[in-house]
Amino acid sequence: MVMTPPPFDPELAAELPAIGEVLPPTVTPDMIAAGRRTDGPFAIPTDEELGKDGLFEVEERLVPGPAGAPEVPLVICRPTGVTGPRPVVYNIHGGGMVAGNSRLGIPLDWAEELGLVVVSVEYRLAPEHPHPAPVEDCYAGLLWTAEHAKEIGGDPDRIVLAGGSAGGGLTAAVALLARDREGPRAIGQVLMCPMLDDRNDTPSAHQMAGLGVWDRTSNETGWNALLGEARGTADVSPYAAPARAADLSGLPPAFIDVGSAETFRDEDVAYASRIWQAGGVAELHVWPGGFHGFDGFVPQAALSQAARETRLRWLRRLLGE
């Protein structure tokens, strides 16, 4: 299937050649190890860097994992000097299910602006740890966060789930798990360009083949690592691929955003539509000309600034801050 892709935003498109030198559009299984590097552009932020000149107190905790599994590492960032229980953002990192760590993509701008406590979870990665290891690790970290929120300066009744890309998919899955297991009740979920559908066969997936960031082949790499031979079959759990969920009712209000020029566009739009059809609350933004993760790769672009400001406004309304 050959389809004409939508154009990239010109300001973003100008940066794609440089981005492609670090992260090419197409990621194959033999490239997973390189994607886990921790040097150069892949360097892991230190406590000092996350602390932002004393704005945040940073600590690591090891908390109980799923039954029979290792402990789950959390990174906790608290605004220095903030008193009283503050809302908590429970953050799940991206990386296509095969890379990334808890120190990447922590939304410190939200925390600084709104005085939030951020808890970022480290989950086991595929293919060494296929489904359900990643989502169960994330859920275990949420259980600890809800139970110990006051201990870390947080409000257990005001927890927001958040994640981008694979982390967005895991965020949606954790919201489903919490609903179905009658676990911690988050007050909202922020799904940034979430990876939701293992079937990988939407028009946008075909349109963006070989283009931008994280194309259809990359997506196949990630889903195959997570699901193996089950990918694309009727045996896939909604806690692995939330687009498979038959029932999207009873979920926390969702903020969903995605670029118009990326693989995940159509599955993310469909997910928002199905939340509305189930009587739920969702706010959807499709950023014209945005490629996958554009606001992280090109933060100075006008479209990136608009996306970040819009997320922050939604959070402010949600929290009443």
Side-chain angles (χ1 to χ4, degrees):
M1 182 187 300
V2 178
M3 303 178 69
T4 302
F8 293 118
D9 174 89
E11 191 176 9
L12 299 178
E15 303 297 327
L16 272 174
I19 294 168
E21 294 179 4
V22 178
L23 180 61
T26 299
V27 175
T28 53
D30 60 295
M31 299 165 67
I32 289 174
R36 295 178 179 175
R37 290 167 47 197
T38 57
D39 61 342
F42 301 94
I44 298 173
T46 63
D47 283 1
E48 184 178 6
E49 289 168 329
L50 291 177
K52 298 185 70 172
D53 295 323
L55 285 177
F56 296 97
E57 300 173 4
V58 180
E59 68 167 310
E60 290 189 347
R61 296 277 187 107
L62 284 174
V63 305
E71 292 180 305
V72 173
L74 303 177
V75 175
I76 302 166
C77 299
R78 288 184 296 268
T80 303
V82 170
T83 59
R86 299 300 302 158
V88 177
V89 171
Y90 184 74
N91 181 69
I92 304 178
H93 71 79
M97 303 292 183
V98 298
N101 62 77
S102 58
R103 288 177 172 257
L104 298 179
I106 297 178
L108 294 178
D109 52 338
W110 302 350
E112 183 177 352
E113 186 72 21
L114 301 176
L116 312 178
V117 176
V118 180
V119 178
S120 190
V121 61
E122 181 115 358
Y123 53 88
R124 288 169 290 169
L125 299 174
E128 296 89 343
H129 304 285
H131 177 75
V135 70
E136 291 290 357
D137 285 355
C138 294
Y139 187 72
L142 175 64
L143 289 177
W144 184 91
T145 299
E147 292 168 2
H148 296 265
K150 292 181 180 179
E151 176 186 332
I152 60 174
D155 184 345
D157 295 321
R158 291 200 292 171
I159 296 175
V160 179
L161 310 175
S165 191
L170 286 165
T171 297
V174 165
L176 289 167
L177 268 181
R179 179 198 66 182
D180 296 345
R181 294 179 179 176
E182 299 182 353
R185 177 70 182 178
I187 64 169
Q189 53 179 326
V190 182
L191 311 180
M192 297 168 285
C193 53
M195 180 179 176
L196 300 172
D197 196 339
D198 65 293
R199 290 164 291 197
N200 196 25
D201 202 31
T202 62
S204 59
H206 287 281
Q207 280 181 308
M208 303 312 300
L211 300 173
V213 173
W214 197 257
D215 73 353
R216 188 165 181 257
T217 298
S218 302
N219 208 30
E220 184 175 292
T221 296
W223 282 116
N224 282 346
L226 185 71
L227 298 173
E229 293 182 357
R231 185 184 75 82
T233 72
D235 297 328
V236 174
S237 165
Y239 309 131
R244 299 296 198 117
D247 177 13
L248 295 183
S249 65
L251 295 172
F255 178 97
I256 302 172
D257 70 346
V258 67
S260 69
E262 70 162 291
T263 298
F264 297 146
R265 182 196 68 220
D266 292 340
E267 65 195 64
D268 293 354
V269 170
Y271 200 73
S273 296
R274 292 186 55 224
I275 290 175
W276 297 322
Q277 290 160 12
V281 176
E283 181 170 323
L284 171 68
H285 293 266
V286 180
W287 299 105
F291 52 74
H292 186 63
F294 65 91
D295 61 296
F297 287 110
V298 196
Q300 74 279 8
L303 197 72
S304 301
Q305 294 180 41
R308 292 199 303 274
E309 290 166 1
T310 301
R311 293 179 198 133
L312 186 61
R313 283 198 301 270
W314 184 85
L315 273 171
R316 193 185 298 277
R317 292 196 305 271
L318 178 74
L319 298 170
E321 296 289 331

